[in-house]
Amino acid sequence: MPKRRFGPHKFSFSQSHSAKLSYGYNSRMNVGKSGYRVFSANSTTACTELAKRITERLGVELGKSVVYQEANRETRVDVKESVRGQDIFIIQTIPRDVNTAIMELLIMAYALKTSCAQNIIGVIPYFPYSKQCKMRKRGSIVCKLLASMLAKAGLTHIITMDLHQKEIQGFFTFPVDNLRASPFLIQYIQEEIPDYRNAVIVAKSPSAAKRAQSFAERLRLGLAVMHGEPQCSESDMADGRNSPPAVRTSTGPPGLELPLMMAKEKPPITVVGDVGGRIAIIVVVVTNTVPHEVQKLQCPKIKTVDVSMILAEAIRRIHNGESMAYLFRNIAVDD
């Protein structure tokens, strides 16, 4: 009985099947790459402008939604387009009314979740309640509570900038990308301050010395620290064991009397470092991640630096599944 020859037929089938698989894979990739939307979580000028700058850089339109307050101050969110199966990015800046901004973000995230969005990523450049990240007297770690609320509302990822403490990222059960604004601020100093090489970076308090030192080292400048300015040191209230009454009381067993800690007294304001004849740079340069229109009217020295470029690139890379390492080039642990 002659042997059957399957060679040509087998090759033909494999080639055709491979072509179909390749076509199907490319089709799915093309659909996925276009399946994202960018929404603004409120209608304030700062948030709207930042969202428009980001969408212009991405080459997409801003998502259609309405965020408003009812007569009784309840927040209502209406999403005006389909988001099913898409990656959704919510831009939210934090105005003075912090709690309203948080509710806007939570309600919009939950609305998108119930509308079957695939992933919901919050773009929150300034993360609220980040200074309440340690136990303080008989209070609570509010930042951890907010992280849990965002996860419950449906967020699956967060993009933020310059967290007050990097350890805050451990409060979340989903990924957090903590971007840095320092490259933009350093670039502003180099380009906008004449003779900046004759300057000195000034830390307004000892707690700001680490960040100021990073700026000084990158700009190859000297460093000065102001000491004695009234401030509330976080190190004094880190573990919640600093709240005994100022008056000595006898609440323990008879004869047990703990030593009384001496009260702190702020010294006169002094400057540690050489600033004579130099340009003293105390960062008054802020990014467009928080509303500060009123402050700019009150102080003409405040300058605004646009960081929409790095936020837009982070959105693009997250949606396409690309590495974020490029956005952290030359970023040290202390930055």
Side-chain angles (χ1 to χ4, degrees):
M1 188 173 181
K3 295 182 179 180
R4 293 185 179 181
R5 300 179 63 186
F6 294 99
H9 300 283
K10 186 176 182 181
F11 173 78
S12 176
F13 170 76
S14 299
Q15 189 178 37
S16 174
H17 186 62
S18 176
K20 290 180 180 179
L21 286 177
S22 176
Y23 173 78
Y25 175 76
N26 290 333
S27 298
R28 287 194 297 272
M29 287 298 292
N30 291 335
V31 170
K33 287 186 178 180
S34 62
Y36 76 97
R37 292 286 186 275
V38 179
F39 287 87
S40 174
N42 66 54
S43 58
T44 61
T45 304
C47 189
T48 303
E49 288 184 358
L50 180 60
K52 286 183 178 179
R53 287 176 180 267
I54 291 174
T55 52
E56 287 174 1
R57 291 183 181 277
L58 291 170
V60 299
E61 293 183 358
L62 189 62
K64 298 178 177 61
S65 64
V66 177
V67 182
Y68 60 96
Q69 306 291 322
E70 296 279 11
N72 61 354
R73 303 299 296 168
E74 288 185 357
T75 301
R76 183 176 291 273
V77 174
D78 292 330
V79 180
K80 298 296 185 180
E81 58 183 288
S82 175
V83 297
R84 182 179 295 273
Q86 299 183 19
D87 292 340
I88 305 300
F89 296 85
I90 307 174
I91 313 295
Q92 177 65 308
T93 58
I94 305 299
R96 283 187 174 274
D97 191 355
V98 178
N99 295 329
T100 297
I102 291 173
M103 287 305 301
E104 291 171 345
L105 180 61
L106 291 171
I107 294 173
M108 175 167 278
Y110 191 67
L112 295 168
K113 177 183 177 181
T114 55
S115 298
C116 300
Q118 183 174 2
N119 294 300
I120 304 172
I121 300 95
V123 183
I124 317 169
Y126 176 74
F127 194 78
Y129 286 99
S130 59
K131 291 187 177 181
Q132 298 191 43
C133 60
K134 297 180 180 180
M135 182 61 70
R136 185 173 180 176
K137 295 186 178 180
R138 298 180 182 86
S140 60
I141 305 177
V142 184
C143 191
K144 176 68 172 69
L145 171 64
L146 181 55
S148 301
M149 293 168 64
L150 292 174
K152 191 68 175 179
L155 265 70
T156 58
H157 198 137
I158 277 183
I159 302 172
T160 187
M161 295 192 80
D162 294 314
L163 283 172
H164 184 65
Q165 297 288 341
K166 300 176 183 64
E167 293 77 11
I168 290 175
Q169 298 175 77
F171 293 163
F172 295 86
T173 57
F174 49 76
V176 176
D177 286 308
N178 182 27
L179 304 178
R180 306 294 195 277
S182 52
F184 297 91
L185 302 179
I186 291 173
Q187 182 182 31
Y188 178 89
I189 292 173
Q190 292 175 323
E191 295 179 355
E192 301 296 333
I193 298 180
D195 194 23
Y196 80 92
R197 294 192 179 278
N198 188 36
V200 59
I201 301 296
V202 180
K204 67 176 184 176
S205 64
S207 61
K210 184 179 292 187
R211 180 65 59 86
Q213 181 181 356
S214 176
F215 276 67
E217 290 175 352
R218 293 187 182 278
L219 292 167
R220 280 44 169 189
L221 299 177
L223 174 67
V225 180
M226 298 177 64
H227 180 56
E229 185 178 15
Q231 57 181 328
C232 184
S233 175
E234 284 193 343
S235 61
D236 297 337
M237 300 178 290
D239 59 1
R241 294 177 292 183
N242 63 318
S243 56
V247 181
R248 185 176 301 196
T249 58
S250 298
T251 57
L256 177 63
E257 198 167 330
L258 297 176
L260 183 64
M261 180 66 73
M262 293 181 61
K264 288 186 175 181
E265 183 177 344
K266 297 290 183 180
I269 296 179
T270 56
V271 178
V272 181
D274 182 18
V275 296
R278 298 187 181 185
I279 303 171
I281 300 178
I282 303 178
V283 181
V284 295
V285 181
V286 296
T287 64
N288 58 340
T289 58
V290 291
H292 55 275
E293 295 86 358
V294 177
Q295 289 80 358
K296 288 186 70 173
L297 295 175
Q298 296 172 346
C299 179
K301 290 185 178 182
I302 296 178
K303 306 299 180 183
T304 305
V305 174
D306 179 27
V307 294
S308 62
M309 177 191 301
I310 191 171
L311 294 175
E313 182 62 15
I315 290 174
R316 189 191 69 80
R317 286 174 176 269
I318 289 174
H319 173 64
N320 291 334
E322 299 178 18
S323 171
M324 299 286 283
Y326 178 77
L327 304 183
F328 295 93
R329 293 178 306 164
N330 301 324
I331 298 294
V333 177
D334 294 336
D335 289 335

